[in-house]
Amino acid sequence: MIRTPADIADALGASIDNGGLLLDETQLGAAFFDLATGLAGEVLQRFTNYRARLAIMVADPAAYGSRFGELIHEHRTNAAVRFFGDQQQARRWLAYNPVVKC
């Protein structure tokens, strides 16, 4: 779960340990969807910097506003973080070329 910036390190560790992490919108705090808080940006940047894979399932991106929809669109080809509307697609993406611990 990621509800505050303090939760990012645990999520990042779980992703690295497991070759990726799948979260649905219920596991993200309201601050994540309010782009003015910066939480979403911090999450996306940290996962990108560490090259840890994060799949986020959001059933209805429009429910969070047009700016959030733009963020999802910008990450449609991101190597570390992607948004999905379907769990099967998210799991398939995570399974393809997962992060391997050294």
Side-chain angles (χ1 to χ4, degrees):
M1 268 189 221
I2 301 176
R3 302 217 183 272
T4 69
D7 299 328
I8 298 171
D10 288 339
L12 191 58
S15 176
I16 292 168
D17 289 345
N18 297 302
L21 180 64
L22 172 61
L23 296 175
D24 70 35
E25 59 197 304
T26 65
Q27 296 172 297
L28 300 167
F32 182 87
F33 299 101
D34 179 0
L35 299 183
T37 68
L39 180 59
E42 188 173 347
V43 169
L44 302 178
Q45 189 63 53
R46 295 269 302 274
F47 274 80
T48 299
N49 287 351
Y50 284 92
R51 296 183 182 142
R53 294 168 62 94
L54 174 63
I56 301 173
M57 288 184 7
V58 178
D60 182 14
Y64 301 106
S66 63
R67 296 226 25 238
F68 193 80
E70 291 171 12
L71 176 74
I72 289 175
H73 182 74
E74 290 171 4
H75 280 81
R76 70 187 183 283
T77 60
N78 188 287
V81 180
R82 290 197 190 171
F83 292 85
F84 298 91
D86 167 288
Q87 188 178 95
Q88 185 178 14
Q89 290 176 334
R91 289 187 183 283
R92 192 174 315 132
W93 177 73
L94 287 171
Y96 176 75
N97 196 25
V99 174
V100 178
K101 293 192 305 185
C102 296

